[in-house]
Amino acid sequence: MERALYDPRHGYYARGDSPLGRSGDFYTSVSVGPLFGQLLARRFLRWHAENGIRGRWRLLEIGAHDGALAADILAAAATLDPAAYDTLGYTIAEPLATLRTRQRETLGAHAEHIRWVADANELAGDTLPGIAFGNELLDALPFHVVVRRSGRWHEEGVAPDPVDPGTLAWRDLGPVSGGPLAAALSRIDATHLPDGYRTEVRTGYAALHRAIARVINPGMAVWIDYGFARPEYYDPARREGTLRTFSGHRAGADPLAAPGLADITAHVDFTAVAEDAAEAGFAFAAFQNQGAWLTREARGWLAEMESTPDPAAIRRFRTLTHPAHLGARFHVFELARPGPATATPADFHRCGLT
Ligand SMILES: C[S@@+](CC[C@H](N)C(=O)[O-])C[C@H]1O[C@@H](n2cnc3c(N)ncnc32)[C@H](O)[C@@H]1O
């Protein structure tokens, strides 16, 4: 998955044309228009005001893709709070050269506010107050595919097909023993999982949060994505996991069919994110569906819409928030650093994140 999506030359995300939007493979909330970024900007500026931040602060976007969300957030921040915009350093963590070039083109108007790094570790020694965030980043992080066999977890690897070496095939790598994968699997209650149960597990959440924690303090991590709490993710009935490919707006299930030409994704285990973030020093702060979260941030915007209605903008707001569109499919996970957590364990439980 790492190579199929992120190889600097042949990876799906390294290619020249964008896979997002009508002519691409899938839409995200960013494709709906600038309103999504405007509402994120309102949330970030509210955090900035509520925490009395003075002087330099940072927004660290991971998975900025073509820079469209960054452009929407920066334009909104410049209008909504010019003083906060003046002291803002917008950092994009982007390892792929082709995407950096595209982001530079999109973000020309804000050039003096932007810095690029390959990943958050490059900022070591320059800790600032701020917020790290990503829209549909976590679901794009590589994962392991594992299968239950005779009461044990086996990892599935990918190798040339022995019968047809020009193509790829799954290969059983044997029972998982030791290492980060075994540690991640030990958190799953496998008692009722049937033989042949196939699913996905990510081990990358921990390193991501550790790197962010080193360079953002005080601050937040805000992740917007689709996923489940662990008991729902690893439900015995979900026998084939959540792995999907996307190509031409069609979902598929075989990531070996066209490596580098289709997106590969799997849902997020939000419980694992919460645990790994907590180990890195983040406290659980909020977990809501996108519709509720955006509607709270949109209060000021909705009041403006009452005096000067813009039917197209209101339609876009509905697309982002209505449960039948994107409002219930996506969740927003806010983690605060340092604590105290603003949410209680009861809130955590209500969200199904037990
Ligand atoms: C599903 S796309 C979402 C793009 C964009 N955030 C949006 O919402 O339209 C996932 C993005 O995450 C990026 N990505 C994945 N892993 C990354 C990493 N470790 N660092 C930076 N970007 C990453 C990919 O290159 C891709 O641009």
Side-chain angles (χ1 to χ4, degrees), residues 6 13 20 26 28 30 62-63 65 93 95 99 135-137 140-141:
Y6 305 115
Y13 281 111
L20 272 87
F26 58 93
T28 70
V30 182
I62 313 181
H65 199 64
L99 288 184
N135 186 56
E136 293 203 43
L137 167 76
L141 297 180

Side-chain angles (χ1 to χ4, degrees), residues 83 194 249 266 282 295 322:
H249 295 275
F282 285 94
T295 303
H322 194 283

Side-chain angles (χ1 to χ4, degrees), residues 2 5-6 12-14 19-20 26-31 36 61-69 92-96 99 103 117-119 134-142 208 224-226 263-265:
E2 178 83 48
L5 294 189
Y6 305 115
Y12 174 76
Y13 281 111
L20 272 87
F26 58 93
Y27 293 110
T28 70
S29 294
V30 182
S31 330
F36 183 65
E61 184 178 0
I62 313 181
H65 199 64
D66 59 3
L69 180 59
I92 295 181
E94 182 53 74
L96 293 173
L99 288 184
Q103 291 156 6
V117 292
D119 65 48
N135 186 56
E136 293 203 43
L137 167 76
L138 301 183
D139 76 80
L141 297 180
L208 174 72
I224 306 163
D225 229 305
Y226 42 81
D263 190 25
I264 306 171
T265 171

Side-chain angles (χ1 to χ4, degrees), residues 128-217:
L128 281 178
I131 299 166
F133 68 100
N135 186 56
E136 293 203 43
L137 167 76
L138 301 183
D139 76 80
L141 297 180
F143 48 81
H144 299 267
V145 173
V146 289
V147 184
R148 277 311 267 176
R149 291 206 174 103
S150 308
R152 301 189 68 176
W153 287 112
H154 285 230
E155 184 173 14
E156 292 272 279
V158 175
D161 190 329
V163 182
D164 178 5
T167 61
L168 297 170
W170 293 104
R171 195 175 70 185
D172 187 337
L173 300 180
V176 176
S177 60
L181 179 55
L185 288 166
S186 71
R187 304 192 291 196
I188 300 172
D189 176 6
T191 340
H192 302 292
L193 302 182
D195 214 51
Y197 185 92
R198 189 181 163 91
T199 189
E200 319 83 23
V201 177
R202 284 193 184 85
T203 52
Y205 300 135
L208 174 72
H209 287 90
R210 276 198 301 271
I212 294 168
R214 262 184 241 124
V215 298
I216 287 203
N217 198 23

